[in-house]
Structure formats: structure tokens, C-alpha cells
Amino acid sequence: MVDDRREGERESVEFELDGVPVTVDDDGSSLLDALRGPLGVRSVKDGCSPQGQCGCCTVLIDGAPRVSCVTPTRRVAGRSVTTLAGLDGGRRDVLAGAFLDAGASQCGFCTPGILVRLAALDPAAPVATVERALAAHLCRCTGWRTILEAWDAARPTATPVTVASGRSLVAARERASIEGGGPQDVGLDVVLGRARFADDTAPADALVAVPDGSGGWVTGETLAEARRAAGKVQGRRTTAALRHPIEVPDGDWLVTLRTSWVEPAYLETDASWCVPGGEPASPLANGGAFGAKVDSPAPAAARALADQHGRAVRVVLAREDVVRLGPKRPPVAAGIAADGSGVLRVVRTSGIAQAIAAIAPGLVVEEVEVAGPPTSAAIRAAGWAEAVVLLAGAQHRAGAGPPVPAHSAVAVSPDGTVEVHVAGALVRARVDGVGVHLRVNAGDPLDEVVLRSYCVGAAHMALSWVRREAIAVDVAGEPLDLTIRSFGILRAADMPAVEVEIVGGRASAPPVAAGDAVFAAVAAAEWVGQGCPPEWPTDR
Ligand code: FES
């Protein structure tokens, strides 16, 4: 919130928006609120407002990139504001086409802000400059490398490649939907921020509802008004230490591992809207949020509130709400012995024991009660990826010692290559000083650009998980890290190159999802490469 005016004290603010003079009431709110509210610009996204940390709301102010959620509307009086629609059309279209051709946009929520920032750079700028520029942004899906490749492809000297080169976007959508776990679009509309996210399609006059902090909802005529009424306080990053809440069970273990709570960190916060008696909009418009929105409270709240108020209601969670209310990857503490037996303790989570047993039936699973945020087995490979990691670590550590029985789902080569065979996908992963090396058989690739993009994104999430990701939780179970930058997501400059070899042709086998297997295999390869340190994250 940026309001320092008294109630009822309003003036108007005039500025130029995408070359057109506009006037809005100054109610003390942010430029983002003005753009998405009365001015109806929905390409500017809200991923963390008013934290100013995700970059999704980036615009140009007098030609310089700024995050609009921390820019008071009154500060742009008499100035020029440029969104995606107002960029130089030629440069925007070249960049957007390059993003599509490189698979540099998946859910598409972060992409408009990134395009705006990149469009302000010298088109001949080197990759290091682009990596620095991307430090102001977060992307959870793509793993950054495809964005850098898109930048390279959009250089003035590059030979343009376009989807007209024979690529089928129908097949691309099919691959994206398989990987995303639900209907997912691929095309220029996604790149340009028109993926029909729930909060973008809500009626302009809908009542806005936000969590009240006590399990209920507060409403207002605008998002800023509702958040003021809820007493929203901007979340902070804590200085409290991370906790690993479970002890490793006693035993003569070859390797052990402890993890903490991990935030799924999807960029599009939960949102929905509904009219009285209607069907609520899905918070999963163009991506599965890595399984974390399966039980989102937004749709049911939108429906109930619309019926209660007799008008359209738009429900929007702030980033702090998502951290407090949304499910986390459950912490584990585990040990595995030289004979391959082991015990994996995990925070009690419905369905997690079955997920682990499907991959590692030899591990005894003990669910333990720990005060903490909600956890979910629906989150990407929850539980079973940890089992893959343990099996790989044990096989690697056994090395020349007593053999750990080979497991059909996981195999480790002497050079640290981890092979994972799960749900029909076969993935080999190795992490070295050059980067991540992947060999992926996911049956019919359908569209190699999209399959590769999901593999790179999964590799990024895996490296990020092992090295950096976790949130602090106090002993009462309350999350303390409430800002999107405190989750530990690896930045563009920290993401190594990813080499993806796709095997299996059109007629090889039906298409299956590869992303989760890549995630598990890269996490295991990274851990093995680090020498199997006993606590994650390893780098903070
Ligand atoms: Fe970047 Fe989804 S494409 S967050």
C-alpha cells in the first residue's frame, strides 16, 4: 500500500499510457492497481504486490523499466507509461516470436514483464547484460535458459525462425498439457500475457474479496480497498534460521537426508471469480502450478460470495496469503543402509506413503506430526523424488563397498549419471561443471521445443530445490518467509546450461510426461555430485 492521503481526499492524475493521454482518480494506490483496475490493462500481472520482487508488473516509465506495484500512481503524473501494448511493435513481435520458438514461455504469467524489460535493452546486448536484467524477475516454469536463447534468436543479426517452419502448435499444446497436468495453451497469446488467467477475465465491476487472516473473506469495490479493509501488511523475509523439523531415525545408515518446507512458488497467485449461481473461474487457466493449486480455496469462495452478495465476486490471494495458506512440499528425514533398507520419515501428508512406496517399496515410511503449514502429496513428485534421491545416493555411496540391491526405477553410473524410469518416462541426468546433461525418452515427443522447455524448467527447479529452496517456519508452525524472493529460487545468472537429448520418435510409444522424472533425476544427480550432504538446501 502506498497511500498517505486522508480518507476521501482525492485528486486526479494525468499521464500518457501507451501513447494515449489518460486520467485516473488518485486514491493513493499503486500504478499497478490503476493499470489493472480502471485502465483495464491486464497484460501487467500481479505476482507479489506490493513486494516489488517478481517483476511481473514491469512497465516502462519514461522509457526505464520499473515495477508498477511499488510505484504510486501520483508519481507518474505528466510522464509516459509503456506496457506491452505500447512497445515498438516490430521489436515486440520479434521478441515474442523468439520466445514462442524457443519455448521461453510456459504458463506465460511472467512473460509480459520480461518482454517489457528486454524491449528496453539494446538488441545487441550480450547475454551477461540480459542475465543482470533478469535479476529483477522471477520465472518458475522455464529455467531461464530458453529465455536467454530467445534473446539470442531475436538479435538484429540473427536469422528469424518462426512457427511457420512446420511446427504444429496443436502438438505443442498436447505436450504442454501432458507436462502441465491439465489443459495448457501454447502460442503468441500466451507469450503476450493473454492466457486468460482468472484474475484477467473477471468482470470489471466485480466485488473483490481477499482473505481476512482468520479463515474468512473481506470485500471491497477494488483490490486496494479490500486489502486495506483486511489490514494487509506487507510480508517480509525473516532472519530466522531454517528448521529441519524431523530427526533422522537411528540406524547404521549409508546416507541420510533432511529437508525443510519448500514453497511451490508458482507465480500466478490463486484467483477466481464467479457470478451468482454460476461456475467459478479456474485458478489453473494455463498451468498446473506444479500440483499446488489442486485444493485452492479461491473457486469455492468466489461461488459462495457471489451467491451471498448477489453480484459477481472476484477472489484474489496476495503472495503472503499463498505462503500462509497454500500447501508446501513436506519435510523429510531419512536414512538408507548398505543393504538398501531404510526409513523415510515425512511430515504427515495424505497420500505421501503410497507415492513413496510406488518407487521405493523397500523403504519404511513413517509419517510424523509436526506443527507447520499445510503440505500436499500433489506437489511435483512429492515424496517419491526424495525416495529416488536416497536410492541414488545409496547406490553411489556403496560404490566399491557392499552392493546396494539394484532398484528398477533408479540406477547410478560410476560417473554420477542417474537414470530414473518412472511412469513410462526414462531420464538420464548428470550435473557437472559445464551444466546439466539430460537424455529423455518420453515416448512421442509431440513437440520437441515444448518438451525441451519443460525439461529445462524441471532441471532448474531440481537444482534450486537441492541448493537453495526452503522457507523458515516457527515452532508454532507459522511460515516466516513471506516474500517471493525468500523462497530461494535460482536466478538466471545462477542457472547453468542444460543440454537435452530427446530420444524416442513419433512412432516409438505414446507420449508420457517427463518433467517429474527429470526433476527427480536432476535432484539426485546434483546430490550425488555434491557428495550426498545430509541437509538441504545445501547452499544457504
Ligand atoms: Fe515464467 Fe510460468 S512461464 S512463471
Side-chain angles (χ1 to χ4, degrees):
M1 294 301 127
V2 290
D3 193 3
D4 57 6
R5 285 176 191 276
R6 288 193 302 263
E7 187 96 12
E9 186 182 1
R10 288 194 179 185
E11 294 176 3
S12 60
V13 178
E14 297 177 11
F15 60 97
E16 193 176 89
L17 174 61
D18 295 330
V20 177
V22 295
T23 304
V24 291
D25 277 351
D26 179 16
D27 63 355
S29 58
S30 69
L31 177 60
L32 173 62
D33 288 334
L35 289 171
R36 288 190 58 84
L39 295 168
V41 181
R42 301 290 168 89
S43 68
V44 184
K45 309 299 186 193
D46 179 356
C48 72
S49 78
Q51 296 178 358
Q53 295 189 350
C54 75
C56 296
C57 66
T58 299
V59 298
L60 304 182
I61 298 178
D62 293 340
R66 297 283 181 265
V67 278
S68 59
C69 74
V70 292
T71 303
T73 304
R74 69 182 65 116
R75 195 177 293 163
V76 300
R79 302 174 77 179
S80 164
V81 175
T82 306
T83 71
L84 202 56
L87 295 176
D88 172 86
R91 183 62 182 154
R92 179 192 58 219
D93 293 348
V94 166
L95 279 168
F99 267 58
L100 178 57
D101 290 335
S105 182
Q106 289 181 20
C107 77
F109 195 79
C110 70
T111 313
I114 290 174
L115 286 177
V116 166
R117 187 172 299 270
L118 295 189
L121 291 178
D122 176 350
V127 162
T129 301
V130 181
E131 284 179 339
R132 275 197 299 277
L134 290 174
H137 294 263
L138 285 173
C139 174
R140 188 54 157 170
C141 303
T142 64
W144 300 116
R145 303 308 306 188
T146 49
I147 294 176
L148 297 169
E149 290 161 12
W151 173 263
D152 257 343
R155 287 183 191 284
T157 52
T159 306
V161 179
T162 73
V163 287
S165 61
R167 185 177 165 207
S168 162
L169 289 184
V170 173
R173 289 178 193 119
E174 188 180 347
R175 172 51 70 182
S177 299
I178 289 170
E179 298 295 340
Q184 191 147 351
D185 197 7
V186 176
L188 284 173
D189 273 347
V190 174
V191 176
L192 295 172
R194 301 193 291 252
R196 301 190 59 76
F197 300 108
D199 197 46
D200 293 353
T201 56
D205 60 352
L207 192 66
V208 184
V210 302
D212 68 0
S214 311
W217 301 88
V218 175
T219 58
E221 291 300 324
T222 66
L223 180 59
E225 185 182 302
R227 285 181 173 174
R228 271 196 293 271
K232 180 183 184 297
V233 176
Q234 183 173 327
R236 294 179 182 280
R237 177 174 193 166
T238 183
T239 55
L242 295 176
R243 288 196 304 122
H244 296 80
I246 313 177
E247 295 299 325
V248 174
D250 291 336
D252 186 15
W253 308 126
L254 198 59
V255 287
T256 64
L257 176 64
R258 297 170 85 202
T259 66
S260 189
W261 289 273
V262 176
E263 166 62 43
Y266 46 87
L267 265 283
E268 179 203 2
T269 61
D270 301 50
S272 181
W273 62 272
C274 195
V275 296
E279 274 300 308
S282 171
L284 294 163
N286 202 44
F290 316 106
K293 284 185 186 169
V294 169
D295 294 317
S296 172
R303 187 202 303 258
L305 290 165
D307 289 344
Q308 177 187 332
H309 290 274
R311 58 184 282 199
V313 173
R314 167 185 158 215
V315 168
V316 188
L317 269 61
R319 179 56 53 186
E320 293 88 343
D321 299 322
V322 175
V323 185
R324 291 192 179 105
L325 304 175
K328 310 291 168 258
R329 188 178 197 90
V332 305
I336 192 164
D339 65 359
S341 63
V343 178
L344 193 159
R345 289 181 174 163
V346 58
V347 165
R348 186 172 299 287
T349 303
S350 176
I352 201 88
Q354 296 89 323
I356 296 166
I359 292 294
L363 283 179
V364 173
V365 178
E366 295 179 358
E367 296 191 56
V368 296
E369 298 288 350
V370 175
T375 56
S376 170
I379 290 174
R380 168 169 260 175
W384 69 258
E386 285 84 341
V388 164
V389 164
L390 285 161
L391 289 164
Q395 288 185 37
H396 177 71
R397 184 68 65 82
V404 173
H407 190 280
S408 61
V410 185
V412 184
S413 304
D415 70 350
T417 298
V418 174
E419 182 172 292
V420 173
H421 193 185
V422 61
L426 181 60
V427 172
R428 279 189 202 141
R430 184 165 55 85
V431 182
D432 60 20
V434 176
V436 180
H437 308 270
L438 291 171
R439 190 167 195 267
V440 177
N441 188 336
D444 184 346
L446 295 169
D447 180 86
E448 294 209 359
V449 172
V450 170
L451 176 54
R452 180 174 179 277
S453 173
Y454 275 84
C455 291
V456 176
H460 170 261
M461 190 181 281
L463 292 182
S464 203
W465 177 36
V466 177
R467 297 178 183 176
R468 302 272 315 154
E469 289 190 33
I471 61 167
V473 173
D474 69 16
V475 290
E478 286 297 315
L480 300 173
D481 278 319
L482 299 176
T483 65
I484 196 162
R485 287 276 164 184
S486 55
F487 305 157
I489 300 170
L490 276 191
R491 300 172 309 165
D494 298 325
M495 182 60 193
V498 183
E499 171 194 55
V500 184
E501 179 191 359
I502 295 173
V503 297
R506 288 258 155 122
S508 60
V512 294
D516 289 357
V518 169
F519 174 74
V522 172
E526 169 68 5
W527 194 49
V528 162
Q530 289 193 25
C532 304
E535 285 190 349
W536 291 6
T538 59
D539 292 357
R540 67 177 221 186

